[in-house]
Amino acid sequence: MGACLGVCSLLSCVSCLCGSAPCLLCGCCPSTRNSTISRLIFTFFLFLGTLVSIIMIIPGVENHLYKLPGFCKGGSQILGVEGYASCNSFLGHKSVYRMGFAMAAFFFLFALIMICVRSSKDPRAAIQNGFWFFKFLILIGITVGAFYIPDGSFTSVWFYFGVVGSFFFILIQLILLIDFAHSWSQIWLRNADEGNAKGWYAGLFFVTFIFYAASITAVVLLYVYYTKHDGCTENKVLISLNLIFCVIISVVSILPKIQDAQPHSGLLQASLITLYTMFITWSALANVPNKSCNPTLLVRNSTATPVAEGHVTMWWDAPSIVGLIIFVLCTLFISIRSSDHAQVNKMMLTEEGPGAAGSGGTSLEDGVHRAYDNEQDNVSYNYSFFHLCLLLASLYIMMTLTNWYRPDEHFQTMSSPWTAVWVKISSSWAGLLLYLWTLVAPLVLPDRDFS
C-alpha cells in the first residue's frame, strides 16, 4: 500500500511538471498570481544557467572541463561524436560563452513563440505557464548542442552580441533603478505627510547623505587608483565628465520649476542615480587596457598565467562581483512586481490586466493555497518582452563573468578591449539622460500626464 501511495505521489509530481504553474505551489506557500509564478520559474532557469557558468569558470573546475566526453577536439567521444572546441586555451571562457548562447537561444525561442499573446485564453499561454519539465529538457538540449559549436570565429562574433545585449540590459537596470528611486521617495514623503514628519524627513536626509558620501568617496578613489599626474588622460576625462553630469542632475532635481511640476522629485533619487553612475564608471575603468592606468587589469595567456606586471589579481574583479549582485536584484525585480508608475509600465510592457486585482478573492475559497489565473482578460506582462529581458540578462551575465575580456585571434592571450569601456560609459550617459528626461518631461510636454 505504501509503495502504491508513493507511486501515485510521484505521478502527481510528474503531472505538475508537465502541467501549469499552479501545481508547483505547495500548501505552505501563499496564494500567488499565475503570472508571477511563471516569471519566477523562468528566472530560476536563468539563475541555474548562471550558477553553471560560475562553476565552469572557477579555475579548479576549468582545468577538468577537458574531461567532458565529446567536448574537446581530439578528446574522448560520446556516441562516436568528437568535439570541436580546442581545450588548450581558455576552456572556462569558452564554456561560459556557450552557456550564455544556450540561455539566449532558449529565451529567444520563447520570445518568438509568445508574440502577441493577449490573454490566458490563447493556447500559447498554457505553454508559457506550464510544461516546465519539457522546457527544462529543451534548455538542456540547447546547452548540450551549444558545446558542439566549433571554435572558429564563434567567440569573437558572440562577443559583440554580448556587448550589444549588455548595453541594453544596463539601460533596463537604470530604468528599474529610476523607478525604484521615485517609488521610494514617494512612499517616504507620503508617510511624512501622514504621520511622524520629522522622523521620515530625517530618514530621507540620512539615506541621501550616505549615497552622496559613498559617491564622493568613489570619485576620490577613482582619481587615486585609476589616474596619474602625467598620464591617463582618458580616465581623468571620463571620471570628470560623469562627476559633472551627476552634479547637473542633482541641481536640476531641486530647481523650483521641477519641484512644482514633480513635488516628489528630489535629492534621494539623484543621489542613488549618482552612486550607480559611479559604479558604472568604476566598472568601465576596470576594463581600460592600460596597466599603468588600471591596477586591476589582468592579461592572461593560454596557460592561465598572468602576464601583467606586478601582483597577481583575481580573475573575478570587484566590479564583476558587484555587477553580479545588481544583476540578481534587477532580474528578481522584473519577475515579481510591476511598477507603481504607469509610464514605466508602458515602457517595460508590464501593465497589470484588469483581472489581476479581482481574482485574488476566489483563490482561498476552499482553504487551499494555490496560484490563480489573473490573465483571463489581459496578460499582466508582455510575454515576449519578458523573455527578451531574460535574453539580454543572459548576455550581460556572460560578459560579467568573463570580465568583458576577449581572446586574440589565435586564443593565446586574453585582454580587455576599449569596446567594453565605451559601452559601459555610453550606457551611463544614456541613463543620466533618461533620468534628466524624467525630470524635465512635465515641463517640456505640459499636456501629457506624467503622474
Side-chain angles (χ1 to χ4, degrees), residues 56-98:
M56 289 190 298
I57 206 171
I58 295 176
V61 177
E62 180 181 2
N63 296 333
H64 293 83
L65 286 177
Y66 70 91
K67 297 179 181 179
L68 290 176
F71 179 36
C72 295
K73 184 186 300 183
S76 58
Q77 300 181 356
I78 180 172
L79 299 179
V81 179
E82 181 181 347
Y84 294 96
S86 173
C87 295
N88 297 324
S89 60
F90 308 123
L91 190 53
H93 185 277
K94 296 175 182 178
S95 300
V96 171
Y97 266 51
R98 282 159 173 77

Side-chain angles (χ1 to χ4, degrees), residues 247-258:
V247 172
I248 291 174
I249 65 168
S250 298
V251 173
V252 171
S253 67
I254 56 175
L255 291 176
K257 289 187 177 180
I258 299 295

